[in-house]
Amino acid sequence: MRSMAQDHPPARLTPPTPETLARFAAIVGDKHAIRDPAAQTAYLREWRGLFTGKTPIVLRPGSTAEVAAILALATETRTAIVPQGGNTGLVGGQIPHEDGAEVVVSLARLDKIRAVDPEGNTLVAEAGVTLQRIQEVADAESRLFPLSLASEGTCTIGGNLSTNAGGVAVLAYGNARDMVLGLEVVLASGEVWNGLKALRKDNTGYDLKQLFIGGEGTLGLITAAVLKLWPKPAETTTAFVGLPDIEAVGAFFREARQRSGPALTAFEVMPALALSFLERHVAGARNPLSRPHNWYALMDIAGFQGDGDSATLAEAIIGDALESGLVEDAAIASSLDQQAALWRLRESLPDTQRLEGGSLKHDVSVPIALIPELIRRGNALIENAMPGTRPLSFGHFGDGNLHYNVSQPPGMDGEEFMRRWWEISGPLYNLVLELGGSISAEHGIGRLKRDQLVTVKSPVEIEMMRQIKRALDPLGILNPGKVL
Ligand code: FAD
């Protein structure tokens, strides 16, 4: 696989004239049409600083009708539109290009919960509602909305669905795609598709919502969604487990999964290096176990009876694994505070790596049984490509999805390390593909991996994607230069 880093939006689009900009502003009102560069900053910089874009205007519509009017005008004037939710995406899809010709449409003001139906176990939310608020609204009804990411205080459900976000509960509940019953979408033409059905069974033709879920804003703008709710567990037991090697992690996961079934709601891993980064950079972070181990697993087991059933199960599984030598040590949280402290270790990891200099991110997945092979061969080829680099592969073991990140060798110039990224990423991605895996497990393609997409999909797949794009966005106004 080769990288072909080039970037240019399609030529048939026109940069908006002052008159067009005034018409866009009139749709949302001047207060919600941001032209001041200082006030635009938060919309133009990607979280990791990989992309910083330019735009003549950020529009903040307050209703589906305003989104529809914006897209109708964009079609009329051939103006490129970049949809944005919470701006936490990690592949640059929500950031406009640097030429300053694209209009950013923030969905953040579409922030109403339109309905909650505890009996039907559904909730209707507008696109700009944050994930955390949806979790809280579900919780107040004694229900669970299980999507859970470290960015949940900021990311929006519209962004979650557009990226088909994963997170820490995929093992039991699936990706964002599995949590949706219906969508409301504004098409490139400005037409509104009201697909807000709350049906769990509906086989009337093509399941159109699936096109927009994971569409990264290239096929339409999601304005609202009917979400599924689940029974809220009465209790959850969290355990932090020390293991000798990645093969033991695999064997322990199989055992825990087999004995817990769907009650095992999270199974995350991190290597020893992760704990040393955390201890160095996060106030109050410390190893919950009395000595270091080569690998750690963090797992949640849910209980629905409220009689300590989850703790009994966790203790039995861990007890047997300690006896057989699979697990070296373990700590089971005995309070909500302890539970939160264990999860804080995992959630602080993405930020911590920034403090160790240049860090390359690889959001990859392979069949679960092949994770040990991926780690063994991957670490060896990374060391071979650039001696002294520090691989830190952590994340969603139970989904076969690792954030196979690599920190620069200590003392090396961070910028030089990032410039030489392909020396590490190229061989690593090739290994992932050889193992039948994916080079983007949950973050999407956006702009960051666009040029790699054509090298990992077959010509038939790419042509089907292009035909779908042409059918839904014939002028190419929606998020040009992203995904395809
Ligand atoms: P944005 O970043 O604003 O947009 C993302 C993409 O969706 C862009 O292409 C944008 O154009 C499009 N878009 C946004 N809203 C709409 C809409 N309404 N209609 C059409 N298109 C739209 N991701 C995971 O999957 N799992 C994780 O565990 C995870 N952890 C993270 C941890 C941290 C600390 C951070 C910073 C990010 C993490 N992410 C994770 C990535 C990110 O949070 C998700 O991709 C999230 O779903 C993006 O939501 P957002 O509202 O911020 O979308």
Side-chain angles (χ1 to χ4, degrees):
M1 193 176 71
R2 279 187 341 106
S3 162
M4 302 175 295
Q6 281 174 14
D7 249 324
H8 49 83
R12 60 187 173 277
L13 303 176
T14 5
T17 61
E19 189 212 339
T20 304
L21 292 176
R23 290 175 69 194
F24 275 126
I27 294 170
V28 295
D30 276 338
K31 187 174 161 210
H32 301 297
I34 307 172
R35 297 178 195 237
D36 171 18
Q40 288 180 347
T41 315
Y43 300 89
L44 299 182
R45 192 174 178 280
E46 186 253 2
W47 187 74
R48 298 200 306 246
L50 286 182
F51 300 101
T52 303
K54 250 179 100 179
T55 185
I57 201 162
V58 176
L59 301 173
R60 290 169 45 87
S63 66
T64 301
E66 287 184 6
V67 177
I70 290 170
L71 290 193
L73 180 57
T75 286
E76 180 197 322
T77 56
R78 292 181 167 33
T79 306
I81 294 292
V82 180
Q84 190 176 103
N87 189 12
T88 67
L90 295 175
V91 288
Q94 71 282 13
I95 302 295
H97 286 88
E98 295 77 5
D99 60 4
E102 299 169 348
V103 168
V104 174
V105 176
S106 162
L107 283 306
R109 280 182 66 229
L110 295 188
D111 63 353
K112 288 179 203 62
I113 301 286
R114 292 193 190 164
V116 188
D117 175 5
E119 198 180 333
N121 278 311
T122 60
L123 179 157
V124 185
E126 293 188 344
V129 181
T130 63
L131 174 55
Q132 186 174 332
R133 197 166 141 231
I134 291 173
Q135 294 165 347
E136 287 166 1
V137 171
D139 190 71
E141 298 287 347
S142 296
R143 297 290 182 274
L144 175 75
F145 184 65
L147 189 65
S148 179
L149 327 176
S151 55
E152 61 202 19
T154 313
C155 64
T156 63
I157 193 67
N160 300 148
L161 298 180
S162 300
T163 57
N164 185 28
V168 298
V170 175
L171 182 59
Y173 300 99
N175 293 291
R177 186 185 297 287
D178 302 300
M179 302 177 190
V180 189
L181 294 174
L183 288 185
E184 179 186 85
V185 178
V186 180
L187 304 178
S189 61
E191 279 170 287
V192 179
W193 171 46
N194 183 341
L196 289 176
K197 286 195 167 173
L199 302 176
R200 281 162 202 270
K201 290 191 158 185
D202 178 15
N203 275 348
T204 51
Y206 305 140
D207 189 357
L208 295 172
K209 66 177 179 295
Q210 301 300 349
L211 289 174
F212 303 99
I213 302 171
E216 300 187 49
T218 63
L219 300 178
L221 267 63
I222 296 174
T223 46
V226 184
L227 304 172
K228 291 187 205 169
L229 302 179
W230 274 261
K232 181 176 147 184
E235 65 191 22
T236 299
T237 296
T238 301
F240 193 81
V241 178
L243 300 117
D245 50 46
I246 191 70
E247 284 78 11
V249 175
F252 179 60
F253 169 70
R254 279 193 296 280
E255 191 62 21
R257 178 94 162 130
Q258 179 62 28
R259 288 171 68 173
S260 314
L264 183 68
T265 54
F267 192 96
E268 300 284 304
V269 290
M270 59 179 90
L273 182 67
L275 262 204
S276 49
F277 279 17
L278 288 164
E279 285 174 330
R280 220 166 17 243
H281 299 295
V282 179
R286 56 169 197 85
N287 188 346
L289 307 178
S290 54
R291 70 169 179 87
H293 300 268
N294 287 332
W295 283 89
Y296 301 93
L298 176 64
M299 67 178 196
D300 269 356
I301 294 184
F304 291 86
Q305 306 302 325
D307 58 359
D309 53 334
S310 66
T312 308
L313 181 57
E315 280 160 17
I317 293 168
I318 291 170
D320 290 349
L322 280 165
E323 211 164 291
S324 69
L326 203 54
V327 158
E328 293 175 330
D329 195 5
I332 297 183
S334 57
S335 68
L336 290 178
D337 280 351
Q338 284 185 9
Q339 220 167 24
L342 291 180
W343 271 100
R344 225 176 356 263
L345 293 175
R346 164 66 183 87
E347 281 157 6
S348 307
L349 261 182
D351 243 351
T352 310
Q353 281 174 282
R354 284 204 278 199
L355 304 168
E356 288 282 333
S359 164
L360 298 173
K361 319 279 184 198
H362 307 97
D363 166 35
V364 299
S365 62
V366 294
I368 296 178
L370 298 184
I371 289 185
E373 183 175 352
L374 173 70
I375 300 277
R376 209 174 5 88
R377 290 176 60 191
N379 284 0
L381 62 83
I382 288 167
E383 175 62 19
N384 189 36
M386 202 184 293
T389 45
R390 295 166 296 165
L392 201 167
S393 37
F394 68 95
H396 319 301
F397 186 97
D399 313 329
N401 172 200
L402 290 182
H403 299 304
Y404 205 137
N405 298 349
V406 183
S407 285
Q408 64 168 80
M412 185 177 180
D413 175 58
E415 281 180 16
E416 191 205 332
F417 175 71
M418 296 307 280
R419 256 196 315 277
R420 291 174 57 189
W421 67 281
W422 195 246
E423 292 174 32
I424 289 172
S425 302
L428 189 59
Y429 282 148
N430 282 337
L431 173 62
V432 167
L433 294 174
E434 185 194 322
L435 297 178
S438 166
I439 63 159
S440 186
E442 59 173 9
H443 295 160
I445 296 297
R447 189 169 159 191
L448 187 67
K449 295 185 180 170
R450 188 197 65 179
D451 296 322
Q452 278 134 42
L453 187 72
V454 286
T455 68
V456 300
K457 293 272 187 202
S458 70
V460 176
E461 284 170 307
I462 292 288
E463 188 46 32
M464 279 195 287
M465 288 175 74
R466 289 204 170 119
Q467 286 185 20
I468 291 168
K469 172 75 176 170
R470 277 196 291 271
L472 287 172
D473 181 20
L475 299 174
I477 62 165
L478 295 178
N479 227 356
K482 313 289 172 55
V483 183
L484 285 169

